[in-house]
């Protein structure tokens, strides 16, 4: 371990001197900085010596149960299981101190009986008020508490699910763990579950700085700033323009919690910093096995409140297709979590924003400990009760290479048996994903016992790989699959293509926001699509005529608008839009017969329809239509993708001709500014009669 004198440590960890060092750009300076920050992280996480006076204690106080370990104190209501207080590092309660106690830290869900949901409502919000508290484990190393409730079979108003909320505190740990067991028994009535989460609302007078990734962190406005007259709601309630915020620097900005959504694969640590106290509050998620719909599913995390969320299941960016629907009599059990609620601190004089880096270090530690071996429930299996699957994924595309191509960067996963791509709509079971290395090799570890299919998708190639073999994972099983080959859809060589097949519209033209409606975090940021109101920019750029794209001339990153949305009327109504793709044929297509193939991959769709016509805009019916698809609401929620859709359209050679040709893409549905499509990738292939590369 490198050690530094106190004056060197103080210099390199204060803001002013650190900026000076960065300007020097010397490798020695960089090394000193790195080792100093590393020392901070190391010292912050050192385990106290054996025999330390820090001991676990459990107290009962009137309607509360209090657990403490000498580092922090956790208070929960008894028997409801609401987190009412967290005392840490001199702060009496890091949670919100105003309002109701049950509104500080809690599990909740949104549910409905099928057919009972009233129009324009989101269902019944249940703040999961437990009726029984039980000490599951209490010893020198840990305390685990259970707050449970059992469904009464005679009830007609409560959700027919048994719920057991668990809280675990370990000796010498600067935080606590929480998980929940949801269970339905055979014979219980049908029900729909929309949303499940763990919520923490922090002290707004202290926690002002939010960090959700290395390049997405900032000082945040107060919740008071969102309330009129300080704030003005925009096109929907979540989006508010700050007219008279308490902190003037936020004036004019737009605040919207959906601007801070994250993909499941990236939700590892996020939270808040109290800069005055040098204290951080973080939610660490070592695994996403219990989240719905795979690695690309987007979830909310931290946002103005200050609020910190662990969302385990939601329909956001997918829609009603992801409602967890149970039939009458259907049994089910699932464990959500554990997640780790971590608190850290630095001495005065150390830049408090470095707490983010220390929290990332702790995240690595938690990932290495996964699956945890201290949970008391038999429903959460330890490592020796799990299995693994490994192999190598190759891509075979005879029009690109004569050799199979390693699927570098592909995501390979296990999910419930289903159809091609069904993983992105699967939510009742567990999913386990791994990212393949440069050789296409993957290893999916710590898989729960169960029956799975293998799924994958590879960047640079359209479609989904699906191995319909049912893999039966049992404790200790190690399945080696060897080489697997994915053959993406392909009939002929590429005549032209638009975009990159990566399930996202990020490579297309994304306009600058209206300067009156900005989030300053995303100015000059790679995620510029997260700005409010970009759907309105299309009508401003194309007030009368729709986009025309010439494949021989135009650059999709500069011309192809990243979403095909409706055009707003001057009187407030909306029109559908028709985009044109123009291309030319020369003499070599004279004698071609059969079908060209048009591949259209959509990154999202919201109450939209895509109609395809070739060289005749008036053709009725169109050559192809998706009919109405999707309720992702990605456009309004500042996303760049939702559900992935792939369509393969036969284009008769007879419908094309020498010289100029036009493909018309029409989205006719138009009752809202948020209806529309985002394209991932479009390709026109020659008929199969054109030569291709022969595999050796």
């Amino acid at each position: 371990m490198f050690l530094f004198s106190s004056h060197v440590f103080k210099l390199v960890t204060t803001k002013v001197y650190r900026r000076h060092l960065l300007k020097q750009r010397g490798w020695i300076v960089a090394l000193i900085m790195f080792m100093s920050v590393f020392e901070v992280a190391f010292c912050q996480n050192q385990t106290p010596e054996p025999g330390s006076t820090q001991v676990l204690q459990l107290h009962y106080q009137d309607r509360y149960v209090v657990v403490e370990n000498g580092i922090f104190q956790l208070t929960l209501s008894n028997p409801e299981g609401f987190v009412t207080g967290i005392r840490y590092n001199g702060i009496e309660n890091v949670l919100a101190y105003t309002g109701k106690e049950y509104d500080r830290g809690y599990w909740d869900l949104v549910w409905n009986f099928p057919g009972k949901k009233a129009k324009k409502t989101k269902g019944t919000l249940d703040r999961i008020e437990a009726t029984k508290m039980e000490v599951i484990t209490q010893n020198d190393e840990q305390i685990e508490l259970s707050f449970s409730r059992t469904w009464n079979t005679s009830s007609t108003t409560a959700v027919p699910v048994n719920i057991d909320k668990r809280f675990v505190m370990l000796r010498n740990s600067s935080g606590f763990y929480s998980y929940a067991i949801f269970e339905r028994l055979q014979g219980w009535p049908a029900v729909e579950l929309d949303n499940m989460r763990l919520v923490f609302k922090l002290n707004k007078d202290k926690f002002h700085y939010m960090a959700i990734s290395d390049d997405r962190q900032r000082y945040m406005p107060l919740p008071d700033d969102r309330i009129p007259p300080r704030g003005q709601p925009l096109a929907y309630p979540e989006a508010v323009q700050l007219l008279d915020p308490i902190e003037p620097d936020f004036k004019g900005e737009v605040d919207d919690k959906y601007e801070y959504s994250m993909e499941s694969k990236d939700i590892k640590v996020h939270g808040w910093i109290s800069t005055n106290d040098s204290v951080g509050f973080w939610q660490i998620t070592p695994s996403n096995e219990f989240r719905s719909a795979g690695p690309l599913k987007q979830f909310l995390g931290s946002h103005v409140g200050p609020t910190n969320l662990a969302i385990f299941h939601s329909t956001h960016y997918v829609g009603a297709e992801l409602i967890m629907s149970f039939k009458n009599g259907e049994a089910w059990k699932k464990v959500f979590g554990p997640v780790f609620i971590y608190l850290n601190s630095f001495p005065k004089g150390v830049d408090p924003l470095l707490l983010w880096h220390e929290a990332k270090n702790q995240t690595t530690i938690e990932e290495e400990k996964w699956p945890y071996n201290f949970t008391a429930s038999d429903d959460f299996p330890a490592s020796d009760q799990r299995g693994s699957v490994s192999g190598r994924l190759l891509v075979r595309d005879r029009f690109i290479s004569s050799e199979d191509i390693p699927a570098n960067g592909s995501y390979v996963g296990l999910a419930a048996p289903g159809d091609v791509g069904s993983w992105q709509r699967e939510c009742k079971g567990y999913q386990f994903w791994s990212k393949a290395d440069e050789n296409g090799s993957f290893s999916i570890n710590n898989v729960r016992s169960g029956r799975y299919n293998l799924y994958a998708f590879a960047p640079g190639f359209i479609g989904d790989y699906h191995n319909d073999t049912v893999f039966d994972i049992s404790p200790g099983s190690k399945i080696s699959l060897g080489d697997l080959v994915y053959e993406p859809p392909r009939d002929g060589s590429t005549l032209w293509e638009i975009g990159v097949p990566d399930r996202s519209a990020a490579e297309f033209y994304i306009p600058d926001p209206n300067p009156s409606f900005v989030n300053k975090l995303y100015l000059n940021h790679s995620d510029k699509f997260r700005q409010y109101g970009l759907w309105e920019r299309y009508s401003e750029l194309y007030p009368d005529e729709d986009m025309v794209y010439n494949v021989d001339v135009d650059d999709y990153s500069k011309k192809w608008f990243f979403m095909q949305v409706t055009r707003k009327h001057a009187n407030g109504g909306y029109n559908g839009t028709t985009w044109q793709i123009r291309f030319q044929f020369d003499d070599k297509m004279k004698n071609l017969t059969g079908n060209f193939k048009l591949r259209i991959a959509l990154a999202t769709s919201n109450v939209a329809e895509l109609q395809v016509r070739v060289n005749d805009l008036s053709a009725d019916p169109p050559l192809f239509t998706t009919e109405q698809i999707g309720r992702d609401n990605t456009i309004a929620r500042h996303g760049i993708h939702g559900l992935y859709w792939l369509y393969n359209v036969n284009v008769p050679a007879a419908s094309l001709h020498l010289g100029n040709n036009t493909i018309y893409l029409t989205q006719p549905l138009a009752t809202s500014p948020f209806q529309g499509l985002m394209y991932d990738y479009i390709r026109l292939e020659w008929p199969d009669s054109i030569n291709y590369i022969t595999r050796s």
Side-chain angles (χ1 to χ4, degrees):
M1 182 66 196
F2 287 81
L3 298 176
F4 295 89
S5 63
S6 59
H7 68 276
V8 172
F9 172 80
K10 184 175 181 181
L11 281 173
V12 297
T13 54
T14 54
K15 295 182 223 180
V16 174
Y17 196 70
R18 196 168 73 250
R19 290 194 197 100
H20 170 72
L21 291 177
L22 287 170
K23 291 179 181 178
Q24 306 308 306
R25 300 181 184 274
W27 71 269
I28 296 177
V29 171
L31 178 61
I32 292 174
M33 284 184 61
F34 172 78
M35 295 309 302
S36 300
V37 174
F38 181 83
E39 182 179 14
V40 172
F42 180 86
C43 294
Q44 185 71 24
N45 287 283
Q46 288 190 79
T47 301
E49 295 295 327
S52 165
T53 57
Q54 294 177 338
V55 295
L56 282 169
Q57 299 182 61
L58 175 63
H59 310 285
Y60 295 92
Q61 298 178 358
D62 193 18
R63 294 175 43 253
Y64 306 95
V65 58
V66 180
V67 192
E68 55 186 320
N69 65 1
I71 300 174
F72 78 103
Q73 181 187 85
L74 175 67
T75 302
L76 302 113
S77 65
N78 183 6
E80 300 86 359
F82 300 129
V83 181
T84 63
I86 300 175
R87 188 171 70 191
Y88 174 75
N89 201 50
I91 302 177
E92 185 63 25
N93 196 351
V94 303
L95 300 180
Y97 58 88
T98 58
K100 303 294 184 181
E101 284 189 331
Y102 61 70
D103 199 36
R104 297 175 182 175
Y106 54 89
W107 286 79
D108 69 9
L109 77 156
V110 177
W111 68 279
N112 291 282
F113 286 120
K116 296 293 181 67
K117 183 187 293 186
K119 190 175 182 181
K120 295 185 179 180
T121 65
K122 297 180 179 180
T124 301
L125 175 63
D126 183 347
R127 197 155 287 185
I128 310 180
E129 185 173 324
T131 56
K132 177 184 177 183
M133 193 284 287
E134 183 179 1
V135 178
I136 303 298
T137 305
Q138 183 177 6
N139 55 44
D140 291 342
E141 296 300 321
Q142 73 180 73
I143 293 175
E144 179 164 343
L145 303 179
S146 164
F147 298 84
S148 63
R149 75 179 190 200
T150 302
W151 182 66
N152 185 337
T153 55
S154 63
S155 174
T156 58
T157 58
V159 58
V161 179
N162 289 341
I163 301 173
D164 185 357
K165 304 180 294 185
R166 300 289 183 96
F167 296 88
V168 183
M169 182 183 291
L170 304 182
R171 186 173 71 90
N172 299 325
S173 175
S174 186
F176 64 94
Y177 300 83
S178 187
Y179 66 105
I181 306 160
F182 284 59
E183 182 178 22
R184 282 174 46 85
L185 302 182
Q186 279 190 328
W188 286 8
V191 72
E192 297 176 346
L193 306 181
D194 288 17
N195 199 348
M196 302 175 191
R197 61 183 191 165
L198 174 60
V199 181
F200 291 96
K201 297 180 179 179
L202 306 184
N203 187 327
K204 69 177 183 179
D205 292 334
K206 291 185 174 295
F207 292 92
H208 300 149
Y209 190 87
M210 185 184 79
I212 60 178
S213 71
D214 284 335
D215 64 348
R216 297 174 69 191
Q217 47 184 273
R218 60 169 294 177
Y219 287 96
M220 296 290 284
L222 292 169
D224 312 63
D225 297 333
R226 293 177 50 87
I227 301 172
R230 290 191 180 277
Q232 174 63 49
L234 298 173
Y236 45 88
E238 293 86 350
V240 172
Q241 186 173 30
L242 309 179
L243 302 179
D244 183 27
I246 295 170
E247 171 53 60
D249 284 351
F250 299 128
K251 186 172 183 178
E253 284 200 66
V254 172
D255 177 69
D256 184 345
K257 63 183 180 181
Y258 292 110
E259 292 177 328
Y260 303 105
S261 297
M262 296 177 283
E263 292 180 345
S264 183
K265 64 181 176 61
D266 299 324
I267 304 177
K268 297 183 177 182
V269 56
H270 62 92
W272 293 81
I273 296 172
S274 172
T275 52
N276 289 338
D277 300 285
S278 289
V279 166
F281 181 100
W282 311 99
Q283 177 211 130
I284 293 176
T285 309
S287 169
N288 57 19
E289 66 182 46
F290 40 77
R291 289 204 199 102
S292 301
L296 301 185
K297 169 69 172 71
Q298 295 163 91
F299 294 90
L300 293 172
S302 291
H303 58 78
V304 160
T307 300
N308 180 274
L309 301 174
I311 297 187
F312 305 102
H313 171 72
S314 79
T315 59
H316 294 147
Y317 300 94
V318 176
E321 292 184 70
L322 208 59
I323 291 175
M324 198 180 291
S325 298
F326 295 96
K327 298 177 182 178
N328 188 41
E330 183 179 353
W332 170 75
K333 181 186 282 189
K334 187 171 182 178
V335 177
F336 296 97
V339 297
F340 183 41
I341 305 305
Y342 177 60
L343 296 102
N344 60 356
S345 61
F346 281 159
K348 294 294 183 182
V350 179
D351 184 356
L353 301 189
L354 291 174
L355 288 165
W356 161 253
H357 298 283
E358 199 280 322
K360 288 201 304 177
N361 177 66
Q362 185 65 33
T363 301
T364 301
I365 294 171
E366 298 299 322
E367 289 177 321
E368 291 172 350
K369 290 161 55 178
W370 187 270
Y372 297 131
N373 61 7
F374 53 77
T375 54
S377 173
D378 292 336
D379 294 312
F380 184 79
S383 181
D384 61 359
Q385 295 298 307
R386 297 177 178 230
S388 65
V389 175
S390 61
R392 186 168 74 128
L393 184 65
L394 304 171
V395 179
R396 182 173 298 164
D397 188 330
R398 56 186 179 166
F399 294 93
I400 294 179
S401 173
S402 61
E403 301 293 329
D404 291 341
I405 306 166
N408 180 18
S410 61
Y411 282 89
V412 186
L414 294 170
D419 300 322
V420 174
S422 62
W423 57 268
Q424 65 175 342
R425 294 174 174 85
E426 200 283 316
C427 54
K428 293 181 182 178
Y430 302 92
Q431 296 196 25
F432 303 86
W433 290 83
S434 174
K435 190 174 183 179
D437 64 18
E438 60 184 8
N439 297 314
S441 298
F442 63 89
S443 182
I444 307 171
N445 300 316
N446 296 314
V447 181
R448 284 170 164 264
S449 295
R451 293 162 59 83
Y452 303 91
N453 281 171
L454 188 78
Y455 303 87
F457 56 93
F461 300 93
I462 60 174
D464 283 83
Y465 172 80
H466 176 224
N467 189 321
D468 59 8
T469 301
V470 176
F471 298 101
D472 216 334
I473 304 298
S474 58
S477 63
K478 296 182 180 181
I479 300 175
S480 180
L481 300 177
D483 287 353
L484 304 171
V485 177
Y486 171 50
E487 297 189 50
R490 170 79 80 167
D491 285 356
S493 58
T494 300
L495 175 60
W496 51 256
E497 60 186 348
I498 302 172
V500 177
D502 59 1
R503 297 174 179 251
S504 163
E507 70 270 27
F508 296 121
Y509 173 67
I510 301 173
D512 292 331
N514 183 325
S516 298
F517 301 101
V518 300
N519 181 321
K520 292 178 182 177
L521 174 63
Y522 298 114
L523 294 175
N524 303 312
H525 194 282
S526 59
D527 286 0
K528 64 185 298 186
F529 59 84
R530 297 188 187 277
Q531 296 281 12
Y532 173 85
L534 297 182
W535 55 86
E536 296 180 341
R537 302 292 283 157
Y538 178 77
S539 295
E540 296 169 6
L541 290 170
Y542 299 95
D544 302 310
E545 303 292 334
D546 284 319
M547 186 193 73
V548 177
Y549 186 87
N550 189 322
V551 298
D552 296 321
V553 176
D554 292 324
D555 179 343
Y556 59 75
S557 67
K558 298 177 181 178
K559 181 66 178 289
W560 189 276
F561 200 83
F562 78 110
M563 51 184 166
Q564 185 171 358
V565 289
T566 55
R567 179 187 289 104
K568 188 175 182 178
H569 292 165
N571 63 7
Y574 300 93
N575 279 338
T577 53
T578 296
W579 289 5
Q580 299 180 39
I581 302 174
R582 293 181 178 176
F583 58 100
Q584 291 191 333
F585 274 149
D586 54 26
D587 289 345
K588 66 181 179 181
M589 70 122 349
K590 276 186 178 180
N591 299 318
L592 289 179
T593 59
N595 292 317
F596 289 73
K597 187 74 77 173
L598 181 65
R599 312 281 185 185
I600 302 177
L602 299 178
T604 192
S605 176
N606 187 52
V607 196
E609 176 185 2
L610 176 60
Q611 299 175 352
V612 178
R613 294 175 174 85
V614 178
N615 286 328
D616 183 1
L617 182 56
S618 62
D620 189 13
L623 175 66
F624 171 81
T625 178
T626 62
E627 301 183 337
Q628 181 178 311
I629 56 171
R631 288 188 175 272
D632 299 8
N633 211 15
T634 300
I635 294 168
R637 289 174 173 159
H638 323 292
I640 201 64
H641 69 81
L643 281 178
Y644 177 79
W645 309 76
L646 178 63
Y647 297 98
N648 306 296
V649 182
N650 287 325
V651 179
S655 67
L656 302 172
H657 42 69
L658 293 176
N660 296 325
N661 289 270
T662 303
I663 291 177
Y664 299 96
L665 303 177
T666 299
Q667 197 297 103
L669 307 182
T671 59
S672 160
F674 308 124
Q675 286 177 277
L677 310 160
M678 291 185 190
Y679 296 90
D680 167 40
Y681 175 74
I682 303 175
R683 180 174 75 215
L684 185 63
E685 298 170 7
W686 291 95
D688 195 28
S689 57
I690 304 299
N691 291 332
Y692 54 81
I693 300 173
T694 303
R695 294 182 70 245
S696 56

